Amino acid sequence: MSLSSLSEPITHQLAHRLSILCKRWNLQPADITAGALLWLAWTGTTWLAFALSLLFVEIGETGEVSWLEAALGGCWVGVSRWLVLRPYLRHPTRWIIATVASWLLLVLLHLCAVGWVVPGTPNLLLRGGFGVLYGGYVGLGLGLGQWWGLRSQVHQAWRWIPLNAGIWAIGIALAWITGGWLRAASGLFLGEVVGLLIGWGAIAALSGIGIVGLLYESKGEDKLKRYPSSRALTAAKSNAPGSKSPY
């Protein structure tokens, strides 16, 4: 029996189950494509923004990272996400205002550097516990602020608060556990940097799934529609019948 003959029934079953899910959730191929593209853009941009933030934020153990550098890094990540998200929101400025305000509040609470610091303990269990605790705090603070920016534009935007808190808790715990294990195995601090890159990858991917789910509108409405920019609206008005040309 060939490999192709074995994989054919598995492929058929997967395709059948996917078609059932698409019908149940009223998904169209265009919806799946738009959601996948948004997820890829969000995930890639978030992870790349964190990687580029390492050019001006020096990773260190708790208490060694500048709060100002971490705040700039957080705002940098927030701006990169805003660039991806703004075509899908009627008032995208609210998102970036809420994100920057949330990071500034985290500065006052001495929590904004969580994404760029590592705990001093080599105990992986403690690292995981601290990661869940501090990551959850940061995700909760950001989620509350960003909920304000989404609440008038996204249906049931309150779900972003617990979702973001859980995602940050998982991502930071994963980063600190992985970094601690790699550092112990290699004897190099570079293992901590790799751990944070992996953790931020998890945060980017999981939050991307969450934001796509929030933006997707049920009941046959097009949730992932892109709103025209102000420049496009101005051009459309100027080209409309009856509009006066300045020339």
Side-chain angles (χ1 to χ4, degrees):
M1 184 177 293
S2 64
L3 182 61
S4 60
S5 61
L6 285 174
S7 61
E8 185 175 352
I10 298 176
T11 305
H12 179 73
Q13 289 183 8
L14 288 175
H16 179 66
R17 291 182 181 275
L18 285 174
S19 64
I20 293 175
L21 288 176
C22 288
K23 290 180 180 179
R24 181 180 301 175
W25 295 338
N26 195 24
L27 289 173
Q28 302 297 327
D31 298 327
I32 298 174
T33 302
L37 290 176
L38 174 57
W39 178 82
L40 286 173
W42 175 280
T43 302
T45 303
T46 300
W47 187 86
L48 184 61
F50 169 74
L52 291 176
S53 74
L54 299 183
L55 296 175
F56 54 88
V57 182
E58 184 178 357
I59 292 176
E61 294 186 352
T62 306
E64 296 179 351
V65 178
S66 167
W67 297 106
L68 177 59
E69 291 179 358
L72 291 175
C75 293
W76 169 254
V77 174
V79 169
S80 68
R81 286 179 162 185
W82 169 72
L83 292 174
V84 174
L85 199 58
R86 63 177 181 169
Y88 301 91
L89 296 177
R90 292 188 301 273
H91 307 290
T93 307
R94 296 178 185 178
W95 168 274
I96 191 60
I97 291 175
T99 300
V100 172
S102 299
W103 277 110
L104 294 178
L105 177 61
L106 291 172
V107 170
L108 298 178
L109 298 176
H110 301 287
L111 290 172
C112 68
V114 166
W116 290 267
V117 300
V118 296
T121 176
N123 188 298
L124 298 184
L125 184 60
L126 289 177
R127 279 174 165 255
F130 287 143
V132 170
L133 185 65
Y134 286 103
Y137 285 154
V138 172
L140 182 63
L142 288 175
L144 281 169
Q146 291 165 350
W147 161 80
W148 176 85
L150 293 173
R151 63 192 179 100
S152 62
Q153 309 179 71
V154 177
H155 181 58
Q156 293 185 342
W158 62 266
R159 293 177 295 174
W160 181 249
I161 300 173
L163 184 64
N164 201 52
I167 288 171
W168 270 82
I170 293 171
I172 297 300
L174 176 63
W176 288 357
I177 291 174
T178 305
W181 179 77
L182 290 174
R183 183 179 182 181
S186 64
L188 300 174
F189 188 80
L190 181 62
E192 301 281 14
V193 179
V194 175
L196 285 174
L197 287 170
I198 293 174
W200 271 92
I203 292 173
L206 293 175
S207 61
I209 295 173
I211 203 69
V212 170
L214 285 177
L215 291 177
Y216 182 81
E217 293 180 359
S218 57
K219 300 180 181 179
E221 298 176 2
D222 185 11
K223 245 184 194 174
L224 294 177
K225 65 179 179 181
R226 298 167 65 94
Y227 291 95
S229 62
S230 57
R231 182 181 300 177
L233 287 174
T234 303
K237 290 179 180 178
S238 63
N239 294 330
S243 61
K244 294 182 179 180
S245 173
Y247 300 103

